[in-house]
Amino acid sequence: MKLRHEYKHRLSPLELPVLRCRLSAAMKTDPYAKQGFYCIRSLYFDNSADKALREKIDGVNKREKFRLRYYNGDVSRIILEKKSKYGNLCSKVQEAIHWEEAEKLTFGLIPSSAESSLLGELGVKMKLQGLRPKTIVDYIREPFVFAPGNVRVTLDHHLRTAMNPTGFLDPDCSTIPAGEGLAILEVKWDQFLPCVIQELVQVPGVQTSSFSKYAACRIYG
């Protein structure tokens, strides 16, 4: 299991263009980003006791969450992910699943073909922990990469949500704003963070935050 460092910083809308300009001058744009950005839609899973949400809010050192995800409205490639956190370290396991499997999951059903490692694990935890699809999270991501240290810096903004999980596979389903217009700076790296990147991501008055897009989108239920 590969662990990476991860820090998040909350930004105001006024700070976003400043960071964008600075990062663009020293880092490369992720080659997967069309015109410098892409749109992400995720569907998070939680149980009736809001286990994932409560562990995040309470700052539990070791925790995990499952989500479905696709990019730029393209439902032909749907990814199942499990993200694990160990303090400020994180790891992510993912695998592509079929549209039919994703559709069943949006209704809280366990696909009969859940034999692969990650989909099978989610199926078990749906049975034992009561995990169910909970909240849709939409946002725009501007990704930058820097080879030394395998650094990835992203600017996430225009956070929106929908509470009906069955709308996940409909790119046109109605969503509402969340997060009070804030932007999020995320910095991820492997063994070391180069000094030049440390300087680039410094914003006066901005502190490392435990901000969670999932938590922000749960304000509506």
Side-chain angles (χ1 to χ4, degrees):
M1 179 175 57
K2 182 179 180 180
L3 294 175
R4 281 168 58 80
H5 296 268
E6 178 182 83
Y7 284 89
K8 298 182 181 181
H9 307 265
R10 300 179 62 169
L11 302 173
S12 74
L14 296 178
E15 292 163 334
L16 181 61
V18 176
L19 262 297
R20 179 186 295 123
C21 183
R22 289 163 59 180
L23 294 172
S24 299
M27 303 181 71
K28 294 182 179 180
T29 300
D30 187 313
Y32 292 104
K34 297 179 180 179
Q35 300 180 338
F37 68 91
Y38 47 74
C39 300
I40 297 177
R41 168 165 289 179
S42 300
L43 175 61
Y44 285 82
F45 289 74
D46 213 334
N47 64 12
S48 59
D50 291 329
K51 177 179 182 291
L53 178 63
R54 293 308 318 172
E55 289 181 347
K56 173 64 177 179
I57 293 174
D58 296 339
V60 175
N61 188 60
K62 184 178 179 180
R63 59 187 187 271
E64 66 180 24
K65 58 187 175 186
F66 287 86
R67 65 193 178 202
L68 295 177
R69 173 169 288 186
Y70 61 87
Y71 298 84
N72 295 321
D74 182 8
V75 295
S76 67
R77 178 170 171 78
I78 303 167
I79 305 297
L80 171 62
E81 294 183 343
K82 181 181 78 167
K83 186 173 182 180
S84 303
K85 291 280 289 185
Y86 308 88
N88 289 323
L89 296 175
C90 67
S91 69
K92 185 166 63 177
V93 181
Q94 58 181 205
E95 65 183 27
I97 65 173
H98 297 298
W99 191 93
E100 292 79 9
E101 295 170 331
E103 183 184 35
K104 288 184 177 180
L105 288 172
T106 66
F107 284 92
L109 303 175
I110 301 173
S112 57
S113 58
E115 298 176 354
S116 62
S117 57
L118 191 57
L119 187 57
E121 181 181 350
L122 174 59
V124 169
K125 291 180 178 178
M126 290 176 72
K127 292 178 180 178
L128 299 182
Q129 298 180 8
L131 292 183
R132 292 294 182 271
K134 200 77 172 185
T135 303
I136 295 172
V137 176
D138 282 357
Y139 56 95
I140 294 174
R141 166 162 287 179
E142 300 179 44
F144 301 87
V145 295
F146 194 75
N150 191 22
V151 179
R152 183 176 177 83
V153 179
T154 58
L155 300 174
D156 298 339
H157 50 88
H158 286 79
L159 182 64
R160 300 181 66 86
T161 186
M163 292 179 291
N164 182 5
T166 59
F168 172 70
L169 294 172
D170 177 9
D172 297 320
C173 83
S174 297
T175 59
I176 53 179
E180 300 179 351
L182 290 174
I184 306 300
L185 167 69
E186 293 191 6
V187 186
K188 301 177 182 178
W189 70 95
D190 287 346
Q191 298 301 319
F192 69 98
L193 182 63
C195 293
V196 62
I197 304 301
Q198 292 183 44
E199 295 176 359
L200 283 175
V201 299
Q202 294 300 315
V203 179
V206 175
Q207 302 294 324
T208 299
S209 169
S210 61
F211 183 86
S212 163
K213 290 186 272 297
Y214 169 59
C217 288
R218 285 295 308 278
I219 62 173
Y220 298 110

